[in-house]
Amino acid sequence: QVQLVQSGAEVRKPGSSVKVSCKPSGDTFSSYAISWVRQAPGQGLEWMGRIIPIFGIADYAQKFQGRVTITADKSTSTTYMELSSLRSEDTAVYYCARSPGITIIEFDQWGQGTLVTVSS
Amino acid sequence: EIVLTQSPEFQSVTPKEKVTITCRASQSIGFSLHWYQQKPDQSPKLLIKYASQSFSGVPSRFSGSASGTDFTLTINSLEAEDAATYYCHQSSSLPHTFGQGTKVEIK
C-alpha cells in the first residue's frame, strides 16, 4: 500500500517562506493527483491546491493564489508545496493527500502531516 | 465554491449506540461526497467514498447514504475506538471543500 512521507516540522518567521515535501513510498508517479490540505490548531480541514505530477499541472484555491506554489519532481517522485509571505495565521499542520486518479475524486491516502509554526 | 454544512458539531454517545451525522451541500454535487475519520494527532482516514461506498478495510458498522444534497454517515453500534472527528468532503468541483467537522465523544 502506498504511503505518503512528508518532510519534518518547520519554524519560520513572518514574511518568510516554507517548502514542504511529500514522497510516496514504494511507488513512482502514475496517474494520480496530490493535494495539499492544511489544518490550523483546533480547526477543520482546508484545501490549498493540487498537482497532477505526470503532467505538472497545478490548481490552487483562490484564497492562496499568488502565495502557494505546488510542484512535482518526476526524477524523485516528490511533490512540494511552497507557501510564501508567511503570517502567524499560517501556523498549521500541512498534509499531502492522494487522489487515485487525475479527475477530482476522493483522498485515499494521506501523509503524516508537517507542522509549520510561524512565529517571530 | 460549494459549502458543506455538517450537523451536529458535537455528539456525546454511549458505546453500542447508533450515531448519525449529516452533511448538507449548498448545491447539487451528485454522489461526489466522501467521509473521513480523524483521531487526535493523526491524519484523516477515508471511510466512505461516493456517498455510500465503503473504503477498503473500514468496519462494516460505518455506512453512508444520500438524498439530494443531504448526505448521512451512520455508525452502527459505536465502539470506544470510534471517538474522533468526522469530516465530509466534496469532490464535485474545485475547490475541494470540507464540512466543519463533527466531534464524537464516548460517554
Side-chain angles (χ1 to χ4, degrees):
Chain A
Q1 188 178 10
V2 173
Q3 289 188 334
L4 300 178
V5 181
Q6 298 183 222
S7 50
E10 304 271 10
V11 179
R12 291 287 185 273
K13 293 192 183 301
S16 67
S17 298
V18 69
K19 193 170 186 177
V20 181
S21 68
C22 171
K23 180 177 171 61
S25 65
D27 195 8
T28 56
F29 281 152
S30 56
S31 296
Y32 58 74
I34 294 289
S35 282
W36 288 88
V37 177
R38 78 176 186 180
Q39 186 170 38
Q43 302 301 308
L45 302 169
E46 182 175 36
W47 184 79
M48 301 177 68
R50 68 160 192 170
I51 190 167
I52 302 172
I54 58 170
F55 298 139
I57 298 172
D59 299 288
Y60 302 111
Q62 189 161 6
K63 174 178 177 176
F64 299 100
Q65 283 276 2
R67 269 210 315 144
V68 67
T69 304
I70 298 174
T71 56
D73 184 339
K74 291 181 185 179
S75 66
T76 60
S77 298
T78 302
T79 302
Y80 299 91
M81 185 284 299
E82 184 170 21
L83 188 62
S84 62
S85 302
L86 290 169
R87 34 206 188 231
S88 59
E89 309 89 88
D90 294 318
T91 294
V93 175
Y94 290 77
Y95 295 102
C96 59
R98 188 188 83 149
S99 292
I102 62 173
T103 55
I104 308 169
I105 54 179
E106 76 276 13
F107 303 135
D108 69 342
Q109 295 294 334
W110 293 69
Q112 82 275 20
T114 297
L115 174 62
V116 174
T117 303
V118 183
S119 173
S120 55
Chain B
E1 73 179 42
I2 296 171
V3 176
L4 298 178
T5 304
Q6 278 184 242
S7 61
E9 292 190 4
F10 177 82
Q11 202 163 7
S12 184
V13 188
T14 56
K16 298 188 179 180
E17 199 174 334
K18 179 179 176 180
V19 173
T20 300
I21 300 169
T22 298
C23 178
R24 173 167 289 175
S26 60
Q27 62 190 76
S28 176
I29 58 171
F31 294 99
S32 298
L33 190 287
H34 320 290
W35 291 97
Y36 302 84
Q37 176 193 67
Q38 185 180 33
K39 296 182 180 180
D41 298 318
Q42 293 187 18
S43 306
K45 290 182 170 61
L46 179 64
L47 293 175
I48 303 289
K49 59 181 182 176
Y50 295 102
S52 62
Q53 298 176 25
S54 292
F55 186 58
S56 175
V58 173
S60 59
R61 62 182 179 274
F62 292 93
S63 64
S65 63
S67 176
T69 57
D70 290 339
F71 299 84
T72 301
L73 173 69
T74 300
I75 311 174
N76 281 301
S77 191
L78 187 80
E79 297 191 5
E81 66 184 30
D82 299 333
T85 300
Y86 294 84
Y87 294 94
C88 57
H89 154 229
Q90 69 80 23
S91 64
S92 175
S93 63
L94 293 181
H96 288 274
T97 50
F98 294 89
Q100 75 273 31
T102 296
K103 185 173 183 179
V104 174
E105 174 193 88
I106 309 298
K107 282 183 182 174

